[in-house]
Amino acid sequence: MSVRNAREAQPSWGATPAAERGAALSAAAAAVRDRADELAKVLEEETGRPFESGREGVLAGAGTLAQYAELGPVHRGRSLHGSAGAADFMIPEPRGVVVALTPWNDPVAIACGLLGAALVTGNAVVHKPSERCPRTGRLLGEVLAAHFPPDVLQTVDGGGEVGAALAADPGVDVVAHVGSTATGRAIAGGSRAKLLLENGGNDPLVVDADVDPAWAAGQAALGAFTNAGQLCTSVERIYLHEAIAVPFLDALCGLAREWNADPQPLVDQRHADAVHAHVSEAVAAGAEVLVGGEPDGRHYPATVLTGCTPDMRVWTQETFGPVAPVRLVPSFEQALHEAAADEYGLAATVLTASMAHAQRAWRALPVGTVKVNAVFGGAPGGAAQPRRASGTGYGYGPELLDEMTTTKVVHLGQPG
Ligand code: NAD
């Protein structure tokens, strides 16, 4: 029903001048900014994300909407050199109906990106937020939809089965899914639409021998523990050069203890159990817990694990919790070699004082984003393409406007 309504609403929205679509999105961005406190409060109630951090995510989402409001109207095609007397050009057109399936871990910022790019390019959108934060999703939908004609943006409640039915609906032109790799694969098996899949990561952090161990431990803690490890680009495995192992681990353990003074709950008990299963299996297979490892309901402590080996699930799969698994390596080369041999391809970070190592690393790592000497950050508009198990297509940045449109080639000849 929602897809049918979207199909009916799309043609007139697609024919609306691009500047007017941009203006509508700009007003929607302002409304999200105005309601940021309310959204952050509901988000905290539903997912445990602390209010201030959630508010930052909401404001980031409003910023992304404002950016697409500006970029949409200047998204353009090309003119071509045909015969004299003819005009030839390529023009982007909306794809039609976009289904957006979004996760709970940064739900407003992520939804704003997909929805903003899809709407400003003239698509109608059916958004299904995560069942773990339905009230946040509904509130966002209500705030945004007020700025668009009826049925141009609809928000649908429900879990995976509703998402699967939407993704398989033949009336849908694009399915944009941000979420786990398992779900992305299930969607790919059941949908005939164009797919944008921004899925899980298993990001390595490579720590070279020549860096300040205390600084490197600070980067590791930030990467592994921020948002209780519930970020797609969290540090998931640490390759530590054995030359600085002792001071690095001392510093990392100290930081983990500080983090544990004010722990953030995980989204729910089911997720806390899943994180603990990774840690307990690793311990049973010989890893050692230096700090943490003991859950308290939904609260999972910042945990430092050493002695990890490449066959452990905590090493091969995304844990998505505040866990820093460490493996000692005798050389930078070996770290790069092992880091690259992974199923996922989202992002990676390398900490090194050597320009030669930095250059070797960004070329060798088969991931969408390589960060050198900073676990987070990066310039605005840096839209990476995930690889392999981490998905396909641009999910962010100006290139998302290309994904949400399709190009028509036009040849205008003279009447005979
Ligand atoms: P999820 O895949 O379980 O859920 C995401 C959305 O997909 C939800 O709306 C859910 O209802 C829906 N869904 C679930 N099963 C479905 C199915 N069979 N068919 C269609 N839709 C279905 O993911 P999650 O647990 O909400 O989010 C955490 C995951 O998201 C982590 O793996 C994280 O790395 C990933 N993530 C990736 C990015 C990125 O940009 N790559 C960003 C944020 C989160």
Side-chain angles (χ1 to χ4, degrees):
M1 185 66 179
S2 51
V3 172
R4 193 170 349 121
N5 293 346
R7 280 232 83 81
E8 282 171 16
Q10 192 276 326
S12 84
W13 177 242
T16 302
E20 278 180 39
R21 295 198 302 253
L25 199 63
S26 182
V32 171
R33 210 173 296 118
D34 290 346
R35 309 269 298 265
D37 285 7
E38 210 180 320
L39 281 159
K41 187 166 173 294
V42 179
L43 182 61
E44 182 174 28
E45 286 164 10
E46 289 191 309
T47 69
R49 184 166 180 164
F51 177 82
E52 275 310 322
S53 153
R55 193 168 180 280
E56 274 172 33
V58 173
L59 292 177
T64 307
L65 290 172
Q67 224 171 33
Y68 282 128
E70 297 290 325
L71 289 172
V74 296
H75 183 239
R76 57 193 164 195
R78 295 178 176 198
S79 57
L80 305 168
H81 297 294
S83 55
D88 293 77
F89 57 89
M90 298 162 69
I91 188 164
E93 294 187 324
R95 285 186 178 268
V97 174
V98 175
V99 161
L101 305 166
T102 56
W104 51 266
N105 70 311
D106 198 2
V108 176
I110 289 169
C112 283
L114 295 179
L115 272 45
L119 290 167
V120 81
T121 46
N123 298 285
V125 176
V126 179
H127 176 213
K128 197 203 76 61
S130 169
E131 59 278 27
R132 276 162 153 161
C133 54
R135 285 193 294 129
T136 307
R138 272 200 297 274
L139 179 57
L140 178 67
E142 179 195 311
V143 171
L144 293 175
H147 299 277
F148 300 95
D151 293 337
V152 164
L153 171 61
Q154 300 168 79
T155 306
V156 171
D157 265 343
E161 64 302 335
V162 175
L166 285 170
D169 191 310
V172 170
D173 300 287
V174 178
V175 176
H177 168 252
V178 180
S180 69
T181 294
T183 301
R185 286 177 172 158
I187 290 170
S191 177
R192 281 182 284 154
K194 173 190 165 72
L195 300 182
L196 297 176
L197 302 175
E198 309 301 316
N199 293 159
N202 187 28
D203 291 8
L205 173 71
V206 173
V207 184
D208 206 352
D210 57 1
V211 295
D212 172 10
W215 167 77
Q219 288 291 310
L222 196 65
F225 306 148
T226 299
N227 202 31
Q230 302 167 116
L231 293 176
C232 56
T233 52
S234 289
V235 165
E236 291 279 337
R237 52 197 166 116
I238 301 172
Y239 294 93
L240 172 60
H241 198 295
E242 58 193 18
I244 60 165
V246 172
F248 175 94
L249 287 171
D250 278 354
L252 182 58
C253 289
L255 291 166
R257 285 187 199 97
E258 281 175 27
W259 222 277
N260 288 337
D262 185 18
Q264 171 182 337
L266 296 183
V267 64
D268 56 24
Q269 189 61 49
R270 173 160 62 97
H271 187 48
D273 293 344
V275 170
H276 193 50
H278 278 200
V279 172
S280 339
E281 280 175 33
V283 170
E288 187 187 351
V289 174
L290 298 185
V291 175
E294 291 290 336
D296 175 11
R298 267 172 74 196
H299 287 87
Y300 207 89
T303 295
V304 180
L305 274 183
T306 53
C308 295
T309 51
D311 52 341
M312 295 172 174
R313 270 209 302 165
V314 78
W315 206 257
T316 59
Q317 301 294 313
E318 181 183 51
T319 300
F320 221 56
V323 181
V326 179
R327 173 166 167 75
L328 300 192
V329 282
S331 69
F332 185 76
E333 288 307 327
Q334 179 161 343
L336 273 194
H337 178 73
E338 288 194 21
D342 190 63
E343 187 195 356
Y344 293 84
L346 195 60
T349 305
V350 173
L351 307 179
T352 180
S354 156
M355 182 57 91
H357 281 188
Q359 295 276 20
R360 210 175 303 151
W362 75 254
R363 286 185 197 282
L365 292 165
V367 298
T369 302
V370 177
K371 295 163 279 181
V372 176
N373 293 332
V375 282
F376 296 133
Q385 285 182 305
R387 301 184 188 186
R388 304 191 306 285
S390 293
T392 183
Y394 285 104
Y396 306 89
E399 288 79 1
L400 184 53
L401 298 171
D402 298 334
E403 303 278 18
M404 294 294 184
T405 51
T406 183
T407 299
K408 183 172 281 170
V409 177
V410 180
H411 169 72
L412 285 182
Q414 300 273 24

